[in-house]
Amino acid sequence: MPEEKVRQFGSQVPMKRPGQPVDLSPINVMPASEEASYVSGATVAATGGKPMI
């Protein structure tokens, strides 16, 4: 990826930065936790605030 594109990566979303592993890991861990005992399925959009259309 060109250096300029790397610098701008993530700037197009409302949070103005790319997502980091620490931002996404809770979404992946929660379904395996006791807190999810009543969750039968869900879709979680990790989009940095950008609406999914």
Side-chain angles (χ1 to χ4, degrees):
M1 188 180 285
E3 190 176 326
E4 181 61 28
K5 198 164 190 169
V6 170
R7 263 196 301 279
Q8 292 178 357
F9 187 76
S11 63
Q12 73 279 15
V13 297
M15 291 189 176
K16 302 295 183 207
R17 63 178 180 81
Q20 300 297 313
V22 70
D23 298 320
L24 303 173
S25 59
I27 296 168
N28 294 302
V29 172
M30 191 278 291
S33 71
E34 286 296 317
E35 287 81 8
S37 65
Y38 200 71
V39 176
S40 60
T43 300
V44 180
T47 63
K50 188 173 184 177
M52 292 180 62
I53 297 175

